[in-house]
Amino acid sequence: MSLNKRDFFYITTPIYYINDEPHVGHYYTTTTADILARYHRLIGDDVFFVTGTDENSQKVLQAAEKASMDPVQFTDIMAKKWEKTWKKLNISFDFFIRTTSKEHIQSVEKLLKQCHEKGDIYKKEYEGLYCIGCEKFLTDSDLVDGICPDHKTKPQLLKEENYFFRLSKYQDQLMELMRSGDFALPEARRNEMIEFIKNQLQDISISRATVKWGIPLSIDPTHVVYVWFDALINYISALGYHEDNKKMSQFWPVAIHLVGKDIYRFHTIMWPAMLLSAGVKPPKQVFGHGFFTINGEKISKSLGNVIDPVSLSEKYGIDTIRYFIMREIPFGKDSDFSIPRLEQRYKGDLADDLGNLINRSTNMLNKFSQGMIPEPDKEWHKNDKKSTKVQKDGENLLNFLDKGYARFEFSQILEALWNYIKSINKYIDDTKPWVLKKENRGKELETVLYNIMQSISLICLFLYPIMPIIAQKIYDQINQGEIHKEKYLEKTKWFSLPTKTSVKKGEILFPPLD
Ligand code: ME8
């Protein structure tokens, strides 16, 4: 990643099971992907951001049956619902992939054919305990008192003849991949995977004979493809793998998958092995983030303790939720989702720090400069320590943020940005523009007011990926056009803010909560 070069950037979310509606856990991963996509578009990269739905699963079939619907009709309705919800929540995905779509089915067939030709698919009798909630076979060590700890259900004993994938063959290559560079992040989770690989990988079942809902296995259509073998392929079917699309060569080498820790193993072990078998390079990176809990319990549809991101956003504002989830939880760690903490952040960071800065600054511009951004005196600025510090701090943020995004350090990015916001509030307290006005110190007043506005413009650009609606609202108040169309590197330089443009006092950005 480089600020001076136009790169390709491919970011994906898991494709979610659509037996129910999105909850705040799904929203977390999807929002993070949205933030990265927006940041990379802003710095000029060519971005492809994909999310979608995992439809060929037993739990989706069960949900359709429960709703007395045909699964095709059910998945059509639910996939539209998910897509609409993401749009409503301002998620800027470029492509929505469904595993019941033609391009996906063809991609699954193509990849399976490659693995089969390589001699990596074979048939054998298998008996195991299957959890429909996880959509996987569990081992004894996964169970707690015979129960799946995530779904609190007893797995079914299944005995059938299945097709298997020779995962064990890729043991050494996977170990090498895992140990080379930053394929699997964060490091702690990567180390768990290294331990897992050390314990000898077992071949995995990739078909089901007793299930009828799914993609038929081309080598034996009495079977359907196991939902995970099918689902992982979405990441390349979205790029047109079935027809060797140009997108595949542009975006696949830079693919980054964001996933929760629950499905990290599928993505860092099964998926690269499938690709290696088919002669496709593994993705560039997989990041496994932590989980939100409520009272220490995983939020999940099956446990019935979900928080709906739409109603949350309607109450607090979409960008408030984005800010909160990114600021509160270091990406990668688990955390309890707490409404009182959210409200604290709203009142403190958003209303008191950011809202107040914008409000008092636009007020001062209107009172002391006829609502126009004044001409700064660059000589005076150069010799004023407080002003040059504000400039330097702002300029330093540019590289800090860039490194932060590459390392998924969203919480640190926001902390640094908020320190900057606080320092501008302090700059105002220290320079006291109202005194400068009273004492008729014209060029000082004009330069200080200019610097405040320049820093606000910088804050808008820096804030945009995480809080796009609020950043644009502020940018509108200082009359600077559309952030996403700006030339980021030019507009983050000090003195890039045009003078003599008008500033309006806008609506209150963070009104008091009821
Ligand atoms: O696993 N906290 O789909 P899924 C944080 N279809 N993130 C959470 C979360 C929580 N409490 N709960 C869910 C599947 N997530 C498969 C994926 S991909 C080829 C196939 C997020 O609907 C997190 O990203 O169960 C997690 O990995 C994902 O939702 C699981 O979604």
Side-chain angles (χ1 to χ4, degrees), residues 13-19 23-30 53-55 57 59 82 133-134 151 227-228 230-235 258-264 266-267 289-293 297-301 334-335:
T13 73
I15 47 168
Y16 304 107
Y17 294 127
I18 47 173
N19 48 325
H23 63 63
V24 79
H26 307 121
Y27 181 63
Y28 183 45
T29 325
T30 308
T53 44
D54 190 353
E55 307 184 10
S57 79
K59 49 178 151 190
W82 278 68
C134 300
H151 297 94
V227 64
W228 270 102
D230 154 350
L232 289 161
I233 298 170
N234 91 85
Y235 300 126
L258 293 184
V259 300
K261 62 178 183 178
D262 54 336
I263 58 175
Y264 192 61
F266 284 115
H267 283 81
H289 65 69
F291 260 62
F292 284 140
T293 49
E297 287 271 24
K298 177 182 163 187
I299 302 174
S300 93
K301 290 172 281 207
D334 292 335
S335 172

